[in-house]
Amino acid sequence: MSEYKHKIGITQGDTNGVGWEVILKALAHPSVVELFTPVVYGAKHIAEFYMRTIEELEPVQFHLCNSAAEARRGKINLVECGAKDTRIEAGRPTEESAKEALDALEKASADLVAGNLAAVVTAPINKESMQKVGFGFTGHTEYFASKAEGEPMMIMCSEILRVALQTVHIPVDKVASSLSAEKITSSLMALRQTLKQDFGVVEPRIAVLSLNPHAGDGGLLGSEEEQIIRPAVQEAAKQGVLAFGPLAADGLFAGGGYKKYDAILAMYHDQGLTPFKALSPEGVNYTAGLNIVRTSPDHGTAFDIAGKGVADAQSMRNAIYEAIDIVRRRNDYRYWSRNPLEHFEREKGRDVSMKDLQAAEDKE
């Protein structure tokens, strides 16, 4: 499959948030359809409402289809979701807006798992409202983990920084009891593989953050560093991972030490996301470790500015571009890392070369 043919699904998110505004702005330039084939999952009447709130925005012309399988190249495709009469209350989370978000998410994930999409980019949802309509997950990461194969890992990425999380959506008072040397070692090995296949890093250097202040201060401020984190780093190193730590988070980020590493493994959500968002306000959330590709902007629904046409779309653009890049890099890695003996196999009495195999992939 050539890059031009990649179909990238985009879900509308909570329809009372800024999802549609950043989607419309991200797709506004005519050249976007030269990079990929957009397939948006959402309601046309809601899209039209938000078009009117954005000054100087040329109306987006949608090609309506029932699924990504019917999407046309060179067009901005729309798979209609939800009810035709959903009320729009910009800036206010409601069960109606959550239902719209859930319907779009389910249709997009079904197309993704079926192979009709190369990747999905999700606009923000409101987790509290989603629970009221039967979502049943603490976030997108856990939702896509239930639909795909593999162990999910949240990675926040930008041009200057990548931060992975050891624990994700759990209360802070449960973080310490959720850590183990085995889990951290496994995460480091998975992160190394992701950096190689999805980000093109030949041999990544990974910094591992401590849990306690000052990396535990030799045990004065906690024992997790010496009993759990350091043994995990040492075991990962034995298995070929270039891992370093445990390192104090404040010193690593404030002193610019993060620039020496290809990625950082944080122990809990805010420890990783707070410095990341401060340093990379237009970053991308990537759900790594699965056999599918899903990204999203690194901001929320932003109800306080929804419907005003002022939402910044750069993080959504970056999420779309990152999804395209990850799909390309993953395909390249799969191709070049396959068994070389399989590049010349017998098929119907003739030799099949690498060129033949690449041609066959392009037709998929």
Side-chain angles (χ1 to χ4, degrees), residues 109-361:
S109 63
D111 269 342
L112 181 63
V113 173
N116 295 325
L117 294 170
V120 162
V121 180
T122 57
I125 57 174
N126 179 267
K127 294 181 177 65
E128 183 178 354
S129 299
M130 293 291 278
Q131 299 308 312
K132 296 178 182 178
V133 297
F135 182 51
F137 299 93
T138 54
H140 279 116
T141 301
E142 295 77 10
Y143 173 83
F144 280 97
S146 74
K147 301 292 183 181
E149 299 174 5
E151 291 295 325
M153 174 180 286
M154 180 186 287
I155 299 180
M156 306 301 292
C157 46
S158 70
E159 292 183 353
I160 65 169
L161 182 62
R162 301 184 191 97
V163 177
L165 302 183
Q166 179 61 38
T167 61
V168 187
H169 296 125
I170 64 172
V172 173
D173 64 1
K174 290 182 171 58
V175 171
S177 62
S178 299
L179 300 178
S180 72
E182 292 76 17
K183 289 179 181 178
I184 295 173
T185 300
S186 178
S187 293
L188 286 169
M189 294 176 67
L191 180 54
R192 177 193 185 222
Q193 181 61 22
T194 292
L195 291 167
K196 289 165 72 74
Q197 75 170 17
D198 294 343
F199 293 96
V201 182
V202 176
E203 193 53 72
R205 292 167 53 87
I206 303 172
V208 183
L209 297 185
S210 61
L211 174 66
N212 298 296
H214 308 299
D217 248 353
L220 293 174
L221 302 178
S223 61
E224 287 83 4
E225 282 71 24
E226 297 306 318
Q227 294 183 3
I228 297 175
I229 302 175
R230 192 179 304 281
V233 172
Q234 292 171 344
E235 179 59 30
K238 291 179 183 178
Q239 301 190 42
V241 182
L242 298 180
F244 305 86
L247 305 173
D250 58 348
L252 184 71
F253 287 110
Y258 64 90
K259 298 176 183 178
K260 300 177 183 178
Y261 302 96
D262 298 294
I264 296 165
L265 180 64
M267 292 299 106
Y268 58 95
H269 187 277
D270 284 16
Q271 182 189 49
L273 267 64
T274 300
F276 177 85
K277 291 187 176 184
L279 294 166
S280 299
E282 297 172 349
V284 175
N285 179 352
Y286 171 45
T287 303
L290 302 178
N291 65 328
I292 53 91
V293 175
R294 172 260 168 173
T295 65
S296 73
D298 72 350
H299 58 73
T301 50
F303 288 123
D304 58 321
I305 59 171
K308 300 178 181 179
V310 298
D312 188 344
Q314 191 56 51
S315 186
M316 173 58 80
R317 291 190 191 95
N318 291 343
I320 294 171
Y321 300 152
E322 192 69 74
I324 297 169
D325 287 343
I326 290 172
V327 169
R328 184 201 311 124
R329 294 190 202 108
R330 184 176 288 192
N331 287 342
D332 289 345
Y333 181 85
R334 186 184 300 117
Y335 179 75
W336 291 112
S337 63
R338 72 172 81 188
N339 185 345
L341 295 179
E342 294 177 359
H343 293 165
F344 295 94
E345 61 183 20
R346 288 286 177 178
E347 181 179 288
K348 296 181 181 178
R350 70 181 184 86
D351 285 330
V352 180
S353 67
M354 290 176 66
K355 182 177 180 181
D356 295 326
L357 291 170
Q358 183 65 66
E361 285 193 350

